[in-house]
Amino acid sequence: MRKLDKLPTHIGFIMDGNGRWATRRGMPRKFGHKKGADVLEKIVDYCFSLGIKYVSCFAFSTENWKRPKEEVDYIFSLLREYIKNQNNKNKAKDNKIKIRTMGDLTKIPADLQEEIIKIQQDTCKYDDFVLNIAMNYGGRDDVVNACNTLIKEGKTNINEQDISNALYTKGMPDPDFIIRTAGDVRLSNFMLYQSAYAELYFTKTYWPDFSPKKLNKALQNYAKRNRKFGKVN
Ligand code: FPP
């Protein structure tokens, strides 16, 4: 890979196309999710190996409840396996990775909530790398939740920093680069407030076919971009 002079500090992934990937192969959609979870693990490891400090991924949206129950249950079983593996194999601890989640966890299965609380407690002291998993997450819900938090705190004259500090991503920098796979060109309610100045990258590749090589291509594209943040240059 060509040397990357400019890497994002925080990268976000909208992992789309699992269902289509499986259907194209004549397989049930859940095979796509399974392959998608394996690919996520590889991509997260690769991001951290490059020195990207924060990785956010969209595992389950507030809208995904509209899917058939069997598919919803299967996605949660993958999430459970993923978190349990991090807990049991000490993967996150050995690699000093902080695991965070964003979204309303009160609606997800109770045993998964417990596993998440455990991994968050066990890894909260790490600061080298942060994996932020969106579960039952919606960008609008994030902002509404933040507003309600600020109201409860009795805050008035709210500014942008107050809202940032009340979002699920409190303490994390905004994403610099968001990649969406599978061809659709939209954010679909992912990190809406945080992505105000994010560079966006869309690829037709279905998530289960995404790879470190394809990520390199996206990162090379990112490195060439001129981020102006409203300034002239
Ligand atoms: C979008 O593809 C993908 C999802 C809604 C689920 C993403 C979940 C995973 C990658 C696995 C679980 C995650 C972790 C962290 C272990 P789609 O089903 O909308 O695909 P389609 O648009 O082709 O139907």
Side-chain angles (χ1 to χ4, degrees):
M1 183 184 137
R2 230 177 30 149
K3 187 177 169 302
L4 291 166
D5 8 273
K6 224 174 42 171
L7 276 172
T9 302
H10 183 175
I11 191 165
F13 292 102
I14 303 176
M15 310 177 285
D16 198 13
N18 293 347
R20 277 166 283 173
W21 181 88
T23 307
R24 281 232 171 139
R25 284 162 177 75
M27 297 192 292
R29 292 172 57 83
K30 65 181 189 180
F31 282 92
H33 295 312
K34 172 74 185 102
K35 180 78 170 39
D38 295 343
V39 166
L40 177 67
E41 196 154 4
K42 271 200 203 99
I43 292 290
V44 170
D45 287 349
Y46 185 63
C47 287
F48 292 152
S49 76
L50 289 177
I52 297 173
K53 181 167 171 164
Y54 298 88
V55 177
S56 292
C57 62
F58 209 176
F60 193 86
S61 77
T62 45
E63 289 73 35
N64 286 153
W65 295 106
K66 294 175 198 153
R67 294 182 178 217
K69 183 172 180 313
E70 195 196 331
E71 182 170 343
V72 169
D73 288 347
Y74 188 72
I75 294 175
F76 280 122
S77 76
L78 289 174
L79 283 164
R80 194 176 285 113
E81 195 180 311
Y82 193 86
I83 301 287
K84 270 195 175 159
N85 271 344
Q86 300 282 348
N87 270 329
N88 297 341
K89 293 188 189 157
N90 279 341
K91 189 174 165 184
K93 280 201 260 177
D94 289 349
N95 295 303
K96 299 201 170 356
I97 297 165
K98 184 189 301 207
I99 308 272
R100 291 181 59 147
T101 56
M102 53 180 183
D104 179 2
L105 298 186
T106 62
K107 307 272 184 329
I108 70 168
D111 65 313
L112 179 55
Q113 286 182 42
E114 278 169 31
E115 290 283 343
I116 291 168
I117 291 167
K118 180 169 170 1
I119 195 84
Q120 285 184 334
Q121 281 170 349
D122 287 355
T123 64
C124 66
K125 55 187 174 295
Y126 303 132
D127 218 15
D128 292 2
F129 298 107
V130 179
L131 171 60
N132 178 39
I133 307 173
M135 285 185 220
N136 191 24
Y137 176 82
R140 288 183 174 181
D141 177 64
D142 198 357
V143 175
V144 169
N145 184 56
C147 292
N148 282 320
T149 304
L150 294 169
I151 291 168
K152 272 191 216 130
E153 288 171 357
K155 280 244 161 59
T156 50
N157 289 324
I158 289 163
N159 60 34
E160 290 185 9
Q161 195 55 47
D162 292 328
I163 295 189
S164 288
N165 290 342
L167 293 171
Y168 290 118
T169 44
K170 178 186 173 144
M172 288 174 67
D174 287 339
D176 304 290
F177 194 36
I178 294 179
I179 297 179
R180 180 178 184 140
T181 56
D184 285 325
V185 181
R186 55 176 174 257
L187 284 174
S188 297
N189 213 4
F190 183 66
M191 301 185 97
L192 295 184
Y193 193 87
Q194 298 90 332
S195 65
Y197 284 99
E199 296 294 326
L200 308 179
Y201 183 90
F202 300 94
T203 167
K204 290 205 163 85
T205 302
Y206 292 147
W207 177 255
D209 285 329
F210 200 65
S211 61
K213 195 170 164 203
K214 295 196 172 178
L215 177 56
N216 285 344
K217 190 174 162 211
L219 289 170
Q220 274 157 10
N221 181 294
Y222 173 83
K224 282 192 235 135
R225 298 192 189 187
N226 178 18
R227 303 188 73 198
K228 298 199 297 190
F229 299 97
K231 296 185 300 243
V232 181
N233 60 2

